[in-house]
Amino acid sequence: EMVPVHAACALLSLAPLLVLGVPPIWTQPEQVHLSYPGVPGSMVVTWTTFNKTESKVEYGLLGGRLFEMSAKGDATLFVDWGEEKRKMFIHRVSLTGLKPAASYAYHCGSDVGWSDVFFFTALNDSTSFSPRFALYGDLGNENPQSLARLQKETQLGMYDVILHIGELHMDRSDNARIGDEFMRQIQSIAAYVPYMTCPGNHEATYNFSNYRNRFSMPGNTESLWYSWNLGSAHIISLSTEVYFYLEFGLELLFKQYEWLRKDLEEANKPENRAVRPWIITMGHRPMYCSDDDQDDCTTFDSKVRLGRNETQPPAPGLEDLFYRYGVDLELWAHEHTYERLWPVYSDKVCNGSKEQPYVNPKAPVHIITGSAGCRERTDRFNPNPKDWSAFRSTDYGYTRMQVVNASHLYLEQVSDDEYGKVIDSIWVVKDKHGFSAWF
């Protein structure tokens, strides 16, 4: 077992001779994870050490000569705001010029400590690529129910990308040790496939400082909101938390809204929507849900959906914006359950047809997938859901998604309680995309 840092320090001061054989763990890389910076042929490797070291990644094609290439990056000092003011160094190295769909082995660190050897497959940059995703929110480190199955499936190569839709359990922070523990835990997934995130309410401690410093998402917004493309999809990650933590300033809410509007406008230019017809959003707190817990989404006038009228100026919600720009699919978490909605807008069901609700739907499709497992267990449902609720489950589990081509997208829900059984699945089929598709 690793010696805790404070114990190691005590040993050092007491008996210099004893510790000569013990590797200095504060220069040892940990919490290794990958993210996709949105640029074809690239990948970012992020890791943590507790002492300042160089930031190097050595890598090579899988099956070729190990570590024949190397890349350097830099480390940022992050001081947790808790009373111990714990220091850590967050290292980031960009790998560029990767061959699409080729697999690489790599390790990261420096001459005073290297990580294990991991491998990844560079993302295919073709618009005809059919990427496969695992998605979930609310996977905490005390009860990470679905983790083992996800670890194995990731290592089997079943996923190209993981989407973690908020609640990365960076609070209750014990001076950021909970965050360390969580990051160590997901390394067994996140060091092998790009791990794309968005902030949730459990990241709010000290104004999201742990989240903003530990992750490396595209764009220059400290991972709070960003977008990227893969296959025939344009994927937008956003912060629903700007609607709730007003003490961190209203300007963030307006800044994000403006950014979303511009991003959606750009994605809807005919030449862009033609090659990336699917627009998919991910945010932590849903606009709709039928849970029985008095959360924002259980109220008719959810803040994420309709905004906040009491602020000066009034803050716009996201439903109209997403509808106006023809968002196809909205992924949410926060509720510790799985719920699939019929296509819905303005609290009304807008099915494609009675027989085939998801063929040419007349409004965005919402999926809530927040039951991967965390300390709060799963939530209860309201016994009388509204008409837009199509399927619900309180089983622990996660969602798989494949953006198959320009017209077909597949979603399925895996129950961990039922040993990996698929308990729900849909095909969303669209002959056309965009605002005009609703009519």
Side-chain angles (χ1 to χ4, degrees):
E1 212 169 53
M2 285 197 174
V3 185
V5 176
H6 52 86
C9 296
L11 275 174
L12 264 178
S13 53
L14 291 173
L17 296 173
L18 268 180
V19 290
L20 289 177
V22 177
I25 62 164
W26 38 94
T27 58
Q28 183 63 36
E30 53 169 73
Q31 308 174 37
V32 181
H33 56 282
L34 299 173
S35 56
Y36 177 57
V39 180
S42 62
M43 196 70 87
V44 173
V45 187
T46 306
W47 71 95
T48 299
T49 59
F50 294 101
N51 261 10
K52 192 165 170 51
T53 67
E54 276 195 303
S55 313
K56 271 198 293 207
V57 172
E58 297 181 333
Y59 63 108
L61 283 164
L62 198 59
R65 220 174 82 231
L66 271 181
F67 312 145
E68 60 183 338
M69 296 173 274
S70 76
K72 276 191 165 159
D74 46 44
T76 314
L77 170 65
F78 169 51
V79 182
D80 178 60
W81 295 11
E83 53 208 39
E84 285 179 46
K85 301 278 180 274
R86 284 179 68 232
K87 285 193 172 101
M88 57 192 80
F89 293 86
I90 313 286
H91 301 258
R92 292 182 175 89
V93 174
S94 292
L95 308 182
T96 54
L98 303 169
K99 294 187 176 111
S103 295
Y104 292 84
Y106 74 99
H107 69 174
C108 58
S110 69
D111 294 337
V112 289
W114 292 99
S115 71
D116 286 342
V117 180
F118 302 107
F119 52 86
F120 68 84
T121 300
L123 289 177
N124 189 329
D125 54 5
S126 152
T127 51
S128 58
F129 173 48
S130 308
R132 299 154 309 156
F133 301 81
L135 41 132
Y136 49 81
D138 307 76
L139 177 78
N141 45 13
E142 287 183 30
N143 174 28
Q145 181 85 22
S146 305
L147 191 67
R149 193 173 306 283
L150 284 161
Q151 286 166 332
K152 184 166 175 176
E153 291 179 349
T154 299
Q155 293 172 4
L156 280 170
M158 281 174 62
Y159 306 116
D160 300 296
V161 179
I162 305 286
L163 305 179
H164 192 140
I165 310 173
E167 204 144 315
L168 302 109
H169 284 265
M170 300 265 155
D171 70 345
R172 308 199 179 97
S173 66
D174 183 17
N175 295 282
R177 286 191 184 84
I178 299 283
D180 290 343
E181 205 35 61
F182 172 76
M183 299 300 291
R184 286 183 195 115
Q185 226 169 20
I186 60 161
Q187 175 177 282
S188 54
I189 300 172
Y192 298 92
V193 287
Y195 202 87
M196 308 302 277
T197 58
C198 69
N201 52 306
H202 280 284
E203 284 72 77
T205 313
Y206 307 125
N207 194 1
F208 298 88
S209 62
N210 265 281
Y211 175 82
R212 288 174 10 230
N213 283 281
R214 287 176 191 262
F215 288 100
S216 314
M217 296 300 129
N220 296 312
T221 59
E222 300 183 300
S223 305
L224 293 175
W225 56 80
Y226 59 92
S227 66
W228 52 294
N229 297 321
L230 194 60
S232 52
H234 176 69
I235 302 168
I236 300 173
S237 173
L238 61 118
S239 169
T240 54
E241 303 317 296
V242 296
Y243 286 90
F244 299 91
Y245 293 97
L246 300 184
E247 65 268 30
F248 302 135
L250 252 186
E251 66 271 16
L252 264 185
L253 190 160
F254 286 100
K255 211 166 141 185
Q256 170 172 269
Y257 188 86
E258 210 24 55
W259 178 88
L260 282 167
R261 198 183 55 73
K262 284 198 179 112
D263 187 83
L264 285 162
E265 204 164 288
E266 183 65 25
N268 271 285
K269 285 184 176 160
E271 64 275 23
N272 292 334
R273 198 93 201 223
V275 288
R276 311 220 187 255
W278 293 99
I279 296 183
I280 300 170
T281 61
M282 63 185 240
H284 184 57
R285 298 195 214 207
M287 294 185 191
Y288 298 94
C289 66
S290 65
D291 295 79
D292 211 359
D293 56 10
Q294 275 54 72
D295 273 354
D296 181 56
C297 53
T298 63
T299 61
F300 169 71
D301 50 357
S302 117
K303 297 177 177 65
V304 177
R305 181 164 94 82
L306 298 179
R308 300 196 65 148
N309 289 330
E310 81 281 17
T311 61
Q312 270 318 319
L318 299 176
E319 183 172 51
D320 280 349
L321 181 72
F322 289 176
Y323 182 75
R324 209 165 59 234
Y325 285 104
V327 169
D328 299 291
L329 177 64
E330 305 182 19
L331 305 170
W332 312 98
H334 189 57
E335 302 306 309
H336 297 155
T337 46
Y338 167 73
E339 186 163 16
R340 165 169 61 80
L341 274 53
W342 298 120
V344 62
Y345 172 66
S346 191
D347 216 36
K348 292 183 193 58
V349 174
C350 303
N351 287 345
S353 66
K354 203 172 160 50
E355 298 69 45
Q356 299 181 297
Y358 297 104
V359 175
N360 297 315
K362 304 284 174 256
V365 174
H366 295 244
I367 299 284
I368 301 158
T369 176
S371 59
C374 65
R375 77 191 287 164
E376 287 129 334
R377 310 291 182 240
T378 56
D379 291 333
R380 281 203 311 276
F381 280 118
N382 177 335
N384 306 306
K386 286 199 165 171
D387 294 346
W388 39 251
S389 182
F391 180 90
R392 339 186 266 181
S393 169
T394 55
D395 285 7
Y396 284 113
Y398 51 93
T399 309
R400 297 188 186 125
M401 171 173 80
Q402 185 168 23
V403 181
V404 179
N405 56 29
S407 57
H408 285 65
L409 183 148
Y410 178 70
L411 287 152
E412 66 182 22
Q413 180 66 8
V414 178
S415 163
D416 200 73
D417 295 6
E418 298 192 50
Y419 310 105
K421 182 178 162 198
V422 172
I423 55 169
D424 185 43
S425 66
I426 56 164
W427 281 95
V428 181
V429 181
K430 300 192 78 157
D431 298 322
K432 63 177 195 173
H433 296 259
F435 180 64
S436 62
W438 306 142
F439 305 103

